[in-house]
Amino acid sequence: MEKVLQKTTKVDNKNRPKKVFIKTFGCQMNVNDSERIKGILKNLGYQFTSDWKEADLILLNTCTVREKPDRKVLAHLGEYKKVKEINPTAKIGVCGCLAQRMGEELDKRAGGIIDIMFSSYNIHHLPQLLEKANRGEKAIEILEEPPKDEWEMFEYPTIRENPYWAFITIMKGCDKDCTYCIVPQTRGRERSRPIRSIINEIKELVKEGVKEIHLLGQNVTAWGKDFEEPIPFSYLLYKIAEIDGVERIRFTTGYPSDLTDDVIKAMGEIPQIADALHLPFQSGSNRILKRMHRYYTKEEYLEKIYKLREVKPNIALSADVIVGFPGETEEDFLETLDVIEKAKFEQLFSFKYSPRPGTPAAEYPDQVPDDVKTERMHRLLELQKKIMNQLAKRYEGKIVYPLFERYSEGKLIGRSSENKWVEVKSDRKELLGKIVPVKVNKASVYVLYGEFISQI
Ligand code: SAH
Ligand code: F3S
C-alpha cells in the first residue's frame, strides 16, 4: 500500500521549496517560540502551509501544563502521522514542554513516528537537527538544562502574524515552584535576557512598524533578579518607554509579590503602559495559597490591586485561578469567590486542578473529586459572567484607543489599551497600525462597537 502511494503521489523534492506546517499549543511563550522557529525555517528556505497534508515537515510546539493539552498533542500526532503515507520523506517534529517532559517516551507512545524532538532551550539547534533528520536519522535533543548559548536563538528574526504588535521574550523559566505546576520542570530556572538584546530587538521591530510591544516571561516581574548586578524590572520598563516609536507596552505574566511598589509607580508614570494587567491569584484562601507555595496572602493580593487602581484607575485586570486544588474545602472556595467579587476581573482564566507528574501537589492525599471541581467551576463561571456583563457597561459612551491591526468586511478591528477588541465600521485602511480614539456606542463582554469621533 505504502509503495503504491509513494509512486502515485511522489513529490519532486529537488525542484520545489520545502513546506512546513506548524501547530502551536499553550501559552504566549510558545507562540513567541513558534514565531522564532518560523524565522529559522524561513532562513532555511521553507515555505509555510496551513494544510498539514502537503507538508514536508510537521512541527508541533506542545504544552503540558494540564492533562488536557497532553491528550490533544497525542491525538494530533495520531492524525498527522498519515502525512508519511502521502509523502514518505516527510518529517514529524515535536518541541516545547511536552517534548521536554516526556522525551523519547513520547516518541514511543506515538509509535516511533517522531523524527525531530527538541525543547524550548535549543530552538536554535533546529538547523542541525533537521539536517540529521533529512539524512534519515532520528534527531532527538532534549537537554536537561538550558545551554550556555541559549540567547543565541534571539539572533534569528521572528515571523509574526501581525505587523503592528510583537511579543518579546525577556526572561525564561521560573523559580517559584508552585506545588501544582510543571513549568519549572519543563522551562527550567529563571534566566533573564540581557537588557541590550531586548532593547536592540525592540528598536529593530519599531523600525519595521511595530507600535505595541508585549513583554513575555513565565514570571516577567522577576526579570533582572538573576543578573550578577540585579536590575529592577521597573528600570527596564522606563528604558523601553524611552525608545522612539514604542506607543504601547504590555507585559505577561506578573507574579503578585514581584509586583513591587516601584513597578506599580512605573505603571502609573509611563504613559505607554497599557491599562491592562494579567495577575494570577490562583486561590482566595490563605491556607490553600500556602499549600500551593504562593508567596502572598489574599489580603496582600487585593492590596496590590487597590494600589494599581490608585495609579491607573481604569485598569482592566485579568487573572488565573485554580478550582479544586487538593484539600480545597467549600470555605476555601468561598474565599476564592470573594476575591472575584472584590477584584472585578474583566477576564478570568479558570482551571480545574489537574495533577501533573512529579509535582508535589499530585501526591497530596486529599484530592478533590472531579464532580466537586465541576460544580464549583460552574458557580465561579456564573459569578464571573455577571461581573463581566456589569463591567462591559462601563465602556458605553467612553472613548477608547484601539491599535487597529485588521480590516475585515468593512470593519477596522483592534485592541484597546484595556485589551478589549474594538470594531469600527470603516473602510479607512490607512488607519491600520495606528492608535485612534473611538467612541463606544455598544459594549458586549468581548467586543466594543464604536465610531470615530468627528476630528478624525
Ligand atoms: N506564570 C505562568 C503560569 C503558567 S501556567 C505564565 O506564564 O502564565 C498558566 C496557568 O495555568 C497558571 O497560572 C495556573 O492558573 C494554571 N495551572 C498551572 N498548573 C496547573 C495545574 N496543575 N492544574 C490546573 N491549572 C494549572
Ligand atoms: Fe508555574 Fe507558579 Fe511559576 S504557576 S510558572 S511555578 S509562578
Side-chain angles (χ1 to χ4, degrees):
M1 175 66 187
E2 228 170 57
K3 281 264 160 56
V4 176
L5 273 169
Q6 208 168 322
K7 258 192 194 148
T8 49
T9 55
K10 198 167 175 190
V11 265
D12 181 1
N13 282 331
K14 278 200 188 109
N15 290 326
R16 64 173 186 92
K18 291 201 171 199
K19 289 191 177 172
V20 57
F21 169 84
I22 301 183
K23 173 121 186 122
T24 307
F25 300 83
C27 66
Q28 292 159 323
M29 299 284 291
N30 262 13
V31 172
N32 191 224
D33 284 348
S34 287
E35 290 173 343
R36 208 162 292 282
I37 289 169
K38 286 181 192 165
I40 294 172
L41 290 171
K42 189 170 177 221
N43 247 10
L44 295 174
Y46 277 83
Q47 285 183 353
F48 304 107
T49 175
S50 53
D51 178 5
W52 63 267
K53 293 192 185 93
E54 61 167 36
D56 301 279
L57 171 65
I58 291 182
L59 200 55
L60 274 70
N61 192 358
T62 62
C63 170
T64 188
V65 76
R66 286 169 293 276
E67 203 193 335
K68 213 159 143 193
D70 283 11
R71 284 203 304 261
K72 265 199 223 162
V73 170
L74 284 161
H76 276 88
L77 277 172
E79 182 176 14
Y80 294 156
K81 70 179 178 199
K82 295 183 198 134
V83 75
K84 297 194 178 189
E85 292 168 21
I86 303 167
N87 173 5
T89 61
K91 305 288 174 227
I92 295 183
V94 183
C95 61
C97 288
L98 185 64
Q100 181 73 33
R101 179 169 80 73
M102 289 184 70
E104 299 198 13
E105 180 61 31
L106 178 62
D107 185 36
K108 275 195 207 131
R109 283 274 299 275
I113 52 136
I114 299 174
D115 304 289
I116 301 167
M117 212 190 274
F118 55 101
S119 68
S120 59
Y121 299 159
N122 51 349
I123 287 171
H124 53 310
H125 297 174
L126 181 55
Q128 293 88 303
L129 293 170
L130 264 172
E131 225 180 85
K132 193 169 169 192
N134 285 332
R135 283 198 307 266
E137 295 169 46
K138 267 204 194 283
I140 295 187
E141 191 190 66
I142 300 295
L143 304 176
E144 299 247 312
E145 285 191 21
K148 289 256 172 323
D149 65 355
E150 185 183 24
W151 299 114
E152 273 179 24
M153 68 177 74
F154 290 98
E155 281 161 27
Y156 289 94
T158 53
I159 308 261
R160 290 166 291 111
E161 273 186 13
N162 196 277
Y164 310 119
W165 63 268
F167 284 134
I168 289 148
T169 296
I170 63 161
M171 58 127 25
K172 294 182 162 209
C174 184
D175 277 357
K176 290 288 194 275
D177 286 331
C178 302
T179 52
Y180 52 80
C181 187
I182 193 92
V183 170
Q185 272 181 52
T186 60
R187 293 265 174 178
R189 310 310 290 171
E190 275 170 14
R191 293 93 70 200
S192 298
R193 180 173 170 192
I195 190 160
R196 185 156 307 174
S197 166
I198 298 171
I199 301 286
N200 286 347
E201 187 180 359
I202 296 174
K203 283 186 174 160
E204 284 306 311
L205 289 168
V206 169
K207 263 194 239 156
E208 289 167 20
V210 166
K211 303 290 168 56
E212 176 176 311
I213 57 148
H214 193 148
L215 308 175
L216 288 184
Q218 255 82 35
N219 193 5
V220 82
T221 34
W223 178 87
K225 282 191 177 167
D226 58 318
F227 290 142
E228 228 160 81
E229 288 184 32
I231 309 178
F233 176 60
S234 55
Y235 178 83
L236 177 66
L237 290 175
Y238 286 105
K239 280 288 152 206
I240 293 173
E242 275 171 20
I243 300 172
D244 246 359
V246 170
E247 295 188 23
R248 189 167 279 161
I249 304 169
R250 301 185 195 274
F251 53 89
T252 317
T253 301
Y255 186 92
S257 21
D258 290 330
L259 194 78
T260 41
D261 284 349
D262 61 313
V263 178
I264 295 178
K265 183 159 173 268
M267 291 179 72
E269 285 178 356
I270 299 174
Q272 296 109 307
I273 292 189
D275 257 334
L277 186 67
H278 184 67
L279 196 64
F281 74 102
Q282 313 298 5
S283 169
S285 153
N286 288 337
R287 202 177 64 83
I288 296 293
L289 284 169
K290 219 173 192 170
R291 288 190 111 198
M292 288 176 160
H293 268 192
R294 302 286 291 183
Y295 301 101
Y296 54 86
T297 60
K298 170 191 179 188
E299 293 72 26
E300 281 162 354
Y301 180 85
L302 289 171
E303 182 67 27
K304 297 275 175 198
I305 285 185
Y306 300 144
K307 277 190 182 166
L308 272 171
R309 290 211 162 113
E310 262 167 41
V311 300
K312 270 187 165 303
N314 291 323
I315 195 162
L317 292 168
S318 58
D320 294 344
V321 59
I322 295 176
V323 174
F325 184 79
E328 185 189 75
T329 61
E330 174 66 16
E331 269 153 35
D332 294 319
F333 177 64
L334 291 177
E335 294 281 355
T336 292
L337 293 186
D338 189 45
V339 170
I340 296 172
E341 289 264 12
K342 292 197 164 105
K344 305 239 181 293
F345 300 109
E346 303 238 352
Q347 231 183 329
L348 186 59
F349 300 88
S350 43
F351 308 104
K352 281 204 260 180
Y353 169 70
S354 165
R356 301 284 62 211
T359 59
E363 307 297 322
Y364 291 173
D366 41 4
Q367 301 288 325
V368 174
D370 196 55
D371 55 340
V372 177
K373 288 184 198 166
T374 305
E375 189 266 340
R376 286 182 189 161
M377 183 63 105
H378 280 311
R379 281 153 68 200
L380 182 149
L381 291 175
E382 258 324 283
L383 172 63
Q384 181 56 20
K385 207 166 103 194
K386 198 178 85 195
I387 292 170
M388 279 162 63
N389 281 324
Q390 283 164 2
L391 290 178
K393 294 281 164 251
R394 80 174 171 119
Y395 291 97
E396 286 183 357
K398 293 258 163 62
I399 310 259
V400 291
Y401 294 84
L403 167 63
F404 284 120
E405 63 176 57
R406 239 175 341 120
Y407 171 83
S408 166
E409 296 169 6
K411 283 179 293 190
L412 284 171
I413 300 163
R415 275 197 185 272
S416 75
S417 179
E418 301 86 353
N419 214 12
K420 289 271 181 192
W421 284 111
V422 179
E423 284 187 17
V424 178
K425 276 197 187 132
S426 168
D427 292 320
R428 294 182 56 191
K429 292 182 202 157
E430 74 276 12
L431 295 178
L432 285 171
K434 296 205 164 63
I435 294 179
V436 184
V438 166
K439 180 158 175 273
V440 178
N441 296 326
K442 191 171 159 4
S444 74
V445 168
Y446 294 107
V447 187
L448 308 177
Y449 303 91
E451 62 186 13
F452 294 129
I453 49 181
S454 50
Q455 299 94 300
I456 303 292

